[in-house]
Amino acid sequence: MSLIDWFANLFVKEAKHYVYAPVTSEVEKIVFQEGQHYFRLRLAEMFLKDDRKLFRKVVPVVSSLVSLQFGSIAAQALPNVAGPLALNLSESSLGKGVQLNYSLTNLVPYRGGTVSVSAALMSYVSKDYFPAFLSLANNVAGLLTIGQLSATLKVVDSAVGALQDLLDSDDKDIRLVYHNEYAGSDNLGGVSLTSGYFAVIAADAGKFNPAKLFVKNSQLCFGDDLASSQPLTGYDYMLFSVEAALYRDDFRYFTEYNSLLYTAIEKGMTDKAEGDAVIRAGMLAVFKSDDLTYVDKTRVAAALKAEYEERLSLQGQLKGLSGTDGDWLSDRVLAIDPHGVWQQIEPLVADKLDDAVLSGRILGMIAQGKIT
């Protein structure tokens, strides 16, 4: 049985008419646009109403599965598992302290289509082997939440296998399940994917007022207003956050881009033509990337070219400054405005050009200095 089937069967067997509600917070509500935004799902908080009493005997776990389009893969399934034992806490520490904001996906370009989210809050009986097994499952799945997703997809099968072993265990109590699919837009009869928080609460929907829910410091609170609200207790619940981002700030650490940039600089210091050829190859690699949005591909390509040119023009001034010269240059690269870049390339994207034509035209605009 696949993970998707497992969640589907679980939902049929276990789902009740519980509370699902978007939650008021200070997060700006953004409707995701294909090619413009990145998507990331976090488990902001999970709570078992009897957690302190049970933690010495059971372990809380949230298992999730997010399905979305990634590159040419129409429905890439990204599994994950979150829980206190991911932090390598001892049994005596469970139920103490605050554990917030587990990343359930990487920062993934939103390609449109259907995004589905499934999650289950469970409590597992703690046995001698279980902490090590859960930690291993989390570590494997956690590889999908860092760096370049395209470079880490090879662990998906291992993550699926580890999670299926975990989910097939009989030593669990299913507390709460959730599934939702986002596609299209609300005003056309679809379900828009938007940024912000939402909560799933094991409470009778007819007796619970979701208008009194608020988020403060990534925690679910209940009260008459934000200022007076207090952390919600007495219910099992999961609080999720959906992040929308216009650009990635870690692209310089993508192995391929970083390698090509510094190869271009090295060659360009002795032969500008050779360096220019390498940096053009780096820019083309950016436009072929599945890890970046249309908008960010343009910004990253322009940023790599800008750093290459600045490094060469300042090579004389930077002699002897090894180890200190990079910081302010990096800041300038990251400061390239994604909103401004989007305004410059929006007419091209609106024409629905294929990737090859679009990349060629954008590279031409960068070479002519029309995109900065």
Side-chain angles (χ1 to χ4, degrees):
M1 180 186 298
S2 70
L3 280 180
I4 294 176
D5 292 335
W6 188 91
F7 275 102
N9 290 337
L10 180 65
F11 197 82
V12 170
K13 294 177 182 178
E14 304 290 344
K16 298 179 182 179
H17 199 56
Y18 286 152
V19 173
Y20 160 79
V23 183
T24 301
S25 71
E26 296 179 351
V27 174
E28 178 185 0
K29 183 177 179 179
I30 296 174
V31 178
F32 282 76
Q33 300 296 320
E34 183 272 332
Q36 297 183 38
H37 294 109
Y38 291 101
F39 162 88
R40 175 157 49 202
L41 180 70
R42 287 192 179 92
L43 173 67
E45 186 184 17
M46 65 178 180
F47 188 81
L48 297 178
K49 62 183 179 181
D50 44 11
D51 59 353
R52 291 187 181 275
K53 179 176 68 176
L54 292 179
F55 266 158
R56 292 183 180 276
K57 297 181 179 180
V58 302
V59 177
V61 173
V62 169
S63 181
S64 66
L65 185 70
V66 176
S67 179
L68 44 69
Q69 181 170 333
F70 181 77
S72 61
I73 305 173
Q76 176 66 59
L78 304 177
N80 212 317
V81 57
L85 286 183
L87 305 177
N88 294 318
L89 299 176
S90 65
E91 286 192 9
S92 61
S93 300
L94 291 175
K96 300 177 181 178
V98 178
Q99 296 121 33
L100 304 172
N101 292 317
Y102 296 89
S103 291
L104 299 180
T105 70
N106 203 314
L107 202 57
V108 184
Y110 176 64
R111 308 286 192 192
T114 300
V115 175
S116 67
V117 179
S118 299
L121 172 62
M122 297 168 283
S123 59
Y124 280 82
V125 176
S126 181
K127 296 185 176 180
D128 291 340
Y129 64 87
F130 185 76
F133 178 73
L134 177 57
S135 181
L136 175 63
N138 179 269
N139 289 340
V140 173
L143 295 175
L144 296 171
T145 67
I146 57 176
Q148 292 174 264
L149 181 58
S150 61
T152 56
L153 282 178
K154 57 190 176 187
V155 306
V156 166
D157 290 342
S158 298
V160 168
L163 263 68
Q164 293 225 251
D165 289 343
L166 179 68
L167 297 175
D168 287 340
S169 167
D170 293 329
D171 300 321
K172 66 179 180 293
D173 178 26
I174 299 168
R175 300 296 192 91
L176 191 57
V177 293
Y178 167 76
H179 176 80
N180 201 355
E181 293 189 2
Y182 304 87
S185 58
D186 293 340
N187 58 352
L188 295 176
V191 181
S192 297
L193 179 62
T194 60
S195 60
Y197 286 89
F198 65 89
V200 184
I201 307 170
D204 186 333
K207 300 179 180 179
F208 189 94
N209 185 1
K212 292 190 173 185
L213 292 172
F214 301 91
V215 172
K216 291 195 297 188
N217 300 320
S218 300
Q219 292 181 288
L220 187 61
C221 298
F222 188 86
D224 293 327
D225 53 53
L226 178 62
S228 64
S229 63
Q230 296 295 317
L232 180 67
T233 59
Y235 302 94
D236 298 328
Y237 66 79
M238 298 181 285
L239 175 66
F240 296 93
S241 68
V242 176
E243 176 187 354
L246 274 173
Y247 69 98
R248 295 190 67 147
D249 59 5
D250 60 348
F251 70 88
R252 295 181 74 256
Y253 302 100
F254 288 8
T255 302
E256 184 177 13
Y257 308 163
N258 191 62
S259 176
L260 287 169
L261 171 62
Y262 284 98
T263 298
I265 293 170
E266 181 180 9
K267 290 185 177 298
M269 285 181 174
T270 56
D271 187 327
K272 183 67 160 57
E274 284 193 26
D276 289 351
V278 175
I279 201 64
R280 283 196 296 271
M283 295 165 72
L284 286 171
V286 168
F287 284 112
K288 293 178 180 178
S289 174
D290 289 331
D291 294 287
L292 302 171
T293 64
Y294 282 135
V295 177
D296 219 16
K297 285 178 181 181
T298 306
R299 185 186 69 89
V300 170
L304 290 177
K305 185 174 185 294
E307 181 166 355
Y308 165 72
E309 297 290 352
E310 286 197 89
R311 294 273 184 159
L312 291 187
S313 67
L314 295 173
Q315 60 179 304
Q317 300 176 42
L318 296 179
K319 288 180 180 179
L321 296 180
S322 177
T324 63
D325 60 291
D327 294 339
W328 68 274
L329 285 174
S330 299
D331 290 343
R332 292 188 65 180
V333 169
L334 292 178
I336 293 177
D337 179 19
H339 295 278
V341 169
W342 171 246
Q343 291 176 350
Q344 290 169 310
I345 71 168
E346 185 177 16
L348 297 181
V349 175
D351 289 340
K352 302 297 183 182
L353 304 173
D354 64 42
D355 285 354
V357 175
L358 181 63
S359 299
R361 292 195 183 181
I362 291 174
L363 279 172
M365 294 173 68
I366 293 173
Q368 297 169 26
K370 294 180 180 180
I371 293 178
T372 57

